[in-house]
Structure formats: structure tokens, C-alpha cells
Amino acid sequence: HTLGTTVLQVSFWILLNSILFVVDIAGYPHWMFKYKIQEKKNNPVDRKRVFDVLKTGLFNLVVINLLFTAFFYPLNNWTGSLHTTGVLPTFWGARIPIILCVSDY
């Protein structure tokens, strides 16, 4: 399950960000430019900078993501944090992740 989830997440990241990559490199479709955060800046984008960022992003996505998955899977298995279908956590078991999620960390 963990490897499948990682592959699915990586695939969606590549698919959705490739659309933005094409917009930055090719300059079309023009209707997407209205959704850019900095409309007048970096237009057109420096290709060398884009490919440097792409290399860094893919390295982080593939290598770092897989290393973290490989490291945290045994830890989650040891603490019993892995998902099992049809079993809900107790209130006391769910409160710590909720607190950490909404806190300022």
C-alpha cells in the first residue's frame, strides 16, 4: 500500500505540474496566465532557471520522498499508525495527530 500511494502521489504531482511547466516554457495557453501569482514578472521564464528548478524538484520528489517513505514505514508500523480498512482509531488515539495538525508547528 505504501509504495502504491507513493507512486500515485508522484504521478499526480508530475501530471499536474507538467501543465504549469508547459505554460511557463511555451507561453500558452494564454488563458492560464491570469492565474499566475506574479502576472507581470518572469514572463518569459529563463529556461536555464526552469530546468534547474525542475531537476531539483524531481530529485526531491523521487529520491527524498522514497527515502522518507522507506524510513517512516517501519516507524509507523512499530507505533501502529498504519491505516487498516474498516478500523477507526479511538478518540484518544486520534487527538494527538489532530492537535499537531492544527497547532503552529
Side-chain angles (χ1 to χ4, degrees):
H1 292 288
T2 303
L3 184 60
T5 303
T6 302
V7 169
L8 188 66
Q9 181 258 333
V10 167
S11 300
F12 274 113
W13 186 89
I14 290 172
L15 177 72
L16 295 175
N17 283 301
S18 65
I19 296 168
L20 300 174
F21 182 74
V22 168
V23 170
D24 277 339
I25 293 297
Y28 65 90
H30 295 290
W31 62 268
M32 285 193 69
F33 281 107
K34 66 181 174 184
Y35 298 107
K36 285 187 76 161
I37 294 172
Q38 298 174 334
E39 290 181 35
K40 304 295 181 200
K41 287 189 170 188
N42 299 327
N43 200 5
V45 180
D46 180 24
R47 288 180 186 256
K48 182 185 179 327
R49 187 172 177 200
V50 168
F51 284 108
D52 288 342
V53 169
L54 180 66
K55 285 190 292 187
T56 303
L58 287 175
F59 175 79
N60 289 341
L61 183 68
V62 175
V63 176
I64 303 300
N65 194 10
L66 287 176
L67 287 175
F68 268 79
T69 300
F71 175 75
F72 281 108
Y73 180 79
L75 184 65
N76 285 338
N77 197 14
W78 178 63
T79 59
S81 298
L82 293 177
H83 276 305
T84 53
T85 307
V87 178
L88 293 174
T90 64
F91 173 76
W92 299 109
R95 69 181 160 88
I96 298 298
I98 291 172
I99 291 170
L100 290 175
C101 204
V102 298
S103 66
D104 289 329
Y105 291 111

